[in-house]
Amino acid sequence: MGLELDFSVVLDRWQSLLDGAALTLELAFIAVICGALIGALGAIGRRGGNVLIARLCGAYVEGIRNTPLLVQIFLVYFGLSSLGLKFSAFTVAAVALTINVGAYTTEIMRAGFDSIHKGQIEAAEGLGLSKAQVYWHVVLWPAIERVYPALTSQFVLLMLASSVTSQISAEELTAVANYIQSETYRSFETYIVVALIYVVLSFIMRLGFWLLGLALFPRRRRLGTPL
Amino acid sequence: MNAHTPPPVSAGTAPVVALRNVHKSFGPLKVLDGVSFEVARGEVTVLIGRSGSGKSTALRCIDRFETIDSGEIEVCGLRVDNPQLDLRALRLDVGIVFQSYNLFPHLTIEENITLAPHSVKKVPKREAKTLAARVLEQVGLGDKLHAYPEQLSGGQQQRAAIARSLAMQPKVMLFDEVTSALDPELTGEVLKVIEALAADGMTMVMVTHEMGFARGIADQVVFMHRGKVHEAGPADILSSPATPELAQFVGTGL
């Protein structure tokens, strides 16, 4: 028996695949934006003077880093429904992914903040900048620039990991694939196509972050050297 | 150049900087042990002494980068030892330049200089840029507006850091070993800028190991030893020290 591949029945469903891919990107987009915000705040909280806040941020990070994403998704899913709150699978998926990526981003941002030399902060304070101004101008942006490659990887990883949300029937790409293969019995072909679509999505994301980096970091654009 | 001559110390005007019986410890280590000295308007005070003698700490206390345990520090009429001190007001009056330049690496030289005037003093962007061009011209870096710090030599970076401080138009400038990381040639170009500032009548307090320079520029030399002002006076004390400790220090320093 040789290997017989028939992609036609899979490719016939290109509209569903496209919808799934779009939903995957949408999930990733929401989780990245919200997660980046949580990550920046979490890192500030973890490094700040308030011990209680620092501990809470630390517990959040450790809690997420030491449990599987799928379990986190189920916790959000069943947690919300046992509270009597009904949300769509998409919303639950977005919330769970945000919580997950927020924790990893907290750690990455913390490393970025830690890389800013104390002398930088003193120079800014010596010029009369307020604490918030120092954080914004002298700490946050150089920190982001330093950890930008790590952030990009983490965010692409999140997009790929969003396939797990098919388990709660969020209609993203992997869920669509499951559906197509059960209808067509062309499982291998379906997942080959889906894998290729994920590669394209990763590429689109990396391209997007590269362009964003050019816009955000003019020094890097001009000199091409790491900060 | 403004044609203003520094008023004599005896003119009865309040000193720009005054330390009175300042004590400061880092844990069990006593760093400042009753330090007192005054800096008059337009005067250059040079703090000298061995590493660990407390001179850098004394300088940092003036700009409240360190808080003191007891004593008084007064700068431009502000009580720096007051816990309720308006830090922003203090730092508008005081400019500080560090050994390691501390330019912001992600910003151009122009952005380094306009940041504080624009965001602290609310100077409009265009005016701030004019100001940046002027202070850069003053330190001989008129052509480096759009360069990034890493594209400059150490001496150029330090001059840009001085320009950044000048753009805030401080009443007194503090220099913390600003040439210690530079080779003799680059040291020379930075010292020239500081000399020009002194000639312009800027009030300055500087920690330095450049004894020849100190002799040439100082109105007052403060020799610190083991957390105390061991000997102080006009630059002449470097040539004819009264204490064996200063004699030994100057002897090895030359």
Side-chain angles (χ1 to χ4, degrees):
Chain A
M1 281 292 278
L3 180 63
E4 260 181 64
L5 291 177
D6 177 9
F7 286 99
S8 60
V9 286
V10 178
L11 294 176
D12 281 347
R13 289 162 169 80
W14 62 270
Q15 184 68 56
S16 306
L17 289 167
L18 212 60
D19 289 347
L23 207 86
T24 291
L25 274 187
E26 216 176 304
L27 269 178
F29 189 75
I30 293 171
V32 163
I33 301 272
C34 301
L37 209 67
I38 290 175
L41 294 176
I44 291 170
R46 221 178 162 180
R47 287 164 37 91
N50 187 315
V51 179
L52 183 69
I53 292 177
R55 289 243 171 95
L56 278 173
C57 293
Y60 162 57
V61 169
E62 292 313 323
I64 296 300
R65 285 205 305 185
N66 294 298
T67 51
L69 174 60
L70 183 57
V71 172
Q72 293 162 18
I73 291 168
F74 282 143
L75 281 174
V76 174
Y77 185 66
F78 294 116
L80 287 175
S81 68
S82 70
L83 289 172
L85 300 167
K86 271 195 104 54
F87 289 105
S88 68
F90 178 83
T91 307
V92 172
V95 169
L97 290 173
T98 297
I99 291 172
N100 180 271
V101 78
Y104 286 97
T105 308
T106 297
E107 273 309 89
I108 295 174
M109 285 304 295
R110 187 166 75 125
F113 287 156
D114 285 346
S115 79
I116 305 299
H117 197 268
K118 189 168 139 262
Q120 290 283 307
I121 295 162
E122 285 192 346
E125 286 176 349
L127 289 165
L129 273 73
S130 67
K131 262 207 147 65
Q133 286 172 328
V134 173
Y135 235 106
W136 179 256
H137 291 290
V138 178
V139 179
L140 181 67
W141 287 104
I144 291 177
E145 182 168 347
R146 289 222 176 105
V147 298
Y148 196 68
L151 285 176
T152 301
S153 297
Q154 188 62 48
F155 293 159
V156 171
L157 202 63
L158 167 90
M159 185 275 291
L160 298 175
S162 73
S163 68
V164 174
T165 64
S166 61
Q167 290 292 311
I168 55 165
S169 332
E171 296 290 308
E172 47 67 67
L173 186 53
T174 303
V176 171
N178 295 342
Y179 177 70
I180 290 177
Q181 62 99 18
S182 69
E183 257 195 347
T184 62
Y185 301 103
R186 289 288 175 186
S187 307
F188 190 37
E189 292 90 331
T190 303
Y191 288 110
I192 288 175
V193 170
V194 163
L196 289 174
I197 296 176
Y198 273 114
V199 170
V200 172
L201 294 184
S202 292
F203 180 76
I204 291 172
M205 268 186 92
R206 284 182 196 282
L207 184 70
F209 278 109
W210 181 70
L211 291 170
L212 183 66
L214 289 184
L216 290 179
F217 313 122
R219 190 205 60 87
R220 183 162 195 126
R221 186 174 68 230
R222 264 182 53 197
L223 305 186
T225 51
L227 191 63
Chain B
M1 296 273 163
N2 60 31
H4 119 183
T5 44
V9 184
S10 56
T13 52
V16 178
V17 176
L19 281 78
R20 298 184 193 104
N21 198 23
V22 171
H23 289 261
K24 164 85 187 166
S25 298
F26 290 121
L29 185 70
K30 211 154 181 34
V31 192
L32 300 179
D33 190 6
V35 169
S36 304
F37 63 85
E38 293 189 349
V39 182
R41 188 173 308 285
E43 219 186 56
V44 178
T45 293
V46 174
L47 302 181
I48 58 169
R50 280 197 200 92
S51 302
S53 60
K55 54 195 192 310
S56 269
T57 304
L59 193 82
R60 288 169 58 80
C61 287
I62 295 173
D63 209 7
R64 254 286 277 276
F65 281 114
E66 310 288 351
T67 50
I68 61 174
D69 301 335
S70 67
E72 286 177 15
I73 299 182
E74 199 174 320
V75 177
C76 302
L78 295 167
R79 279 289 292 271
V80 179
D81 51 290
N82 175 4
Q84 266 85 51
L85 167 78
D86 178 2
L87 263 184
R88 186 176 167 278
L90 173 71
R91 281 157 182 178
L92 281 176
D93 285 343
V94 181
I96 184 162
V97 183
F98 303 90
Q99 178 180 345
S100 48
Y101 335 132
N102 297 340
L103 291 172
F104 309 127
H106 60 301
L107 302 179
T108 64
I109 299 302
E110 183 182 56
E111 290 164 339
N112 263 276
I113 296 174
T114 55
L115 176 62
H118 181 65
S119 54
V120 180
K121 282 184 163 180
K122 309 297 172 203
V123 175
K125 267 263 159 70
R126 277 198 26 214
E127 248 176 81
K129 284 185 176 186
T130 315
L131 180 67
R134 203 182 70 218
V135 290
L136 270 183
E137 204 60 60
Q138 203 177 338
V139 300
L141 293 174
D143 56 335
K144 299 294 183 193
L145 265 180
H146 303 294
Y148 282 94
E150 70 188 84
Q151 295 176 296
L152 305 187
S153 72
Q156 289 173 330
Q157 289 194 46
Q158 193 58 291
R159 280 146 64 199
I162 293 172
R164 178 174 68 179
S165 214
L166 281 177
M168 290 299 277
Q169 292 155 323
K171 293 182 183 147
V172 53
M173 294 216 19
L174 311 177
F175 293 90
D176 190 6
E177 295 194 33
V178 295
T179 59
S180 298
L182 302 172
D183 69 35
E185 196 186 344
L186 299 181
T187 295
E189 64 181 53
V190 172
L191 296 184
K192 242 192 249 161
V193 167
I194 296 175
E195 267 167 8
L197 281 177
D200 256 3
M202 176 63 81
T203 308
M204 301 195 275
V205 184
M206 53 193 305
V207 171
T208 186
H209 292 297
E210 302 287 331
M211 286 306 137
F213 178 70
R215 188 169 287 140
I217 199 174
D219 296 301
Q220 172 182 225
V221 172
V222 173
F223 171 62
M224 293 195 56
H225 185 64
R226 295 189 177 167
K228 291 185 191 325
V229 175
H230 200 74
E231 194 174 338
D236 302 344
I237 66 167
L238 292 174
S239 326
S240 46
T243 61
E245 286 80 9
L246 179 56
Q248 194 196 348
F249 179 73
V250 185
T252 54
L254 283 176

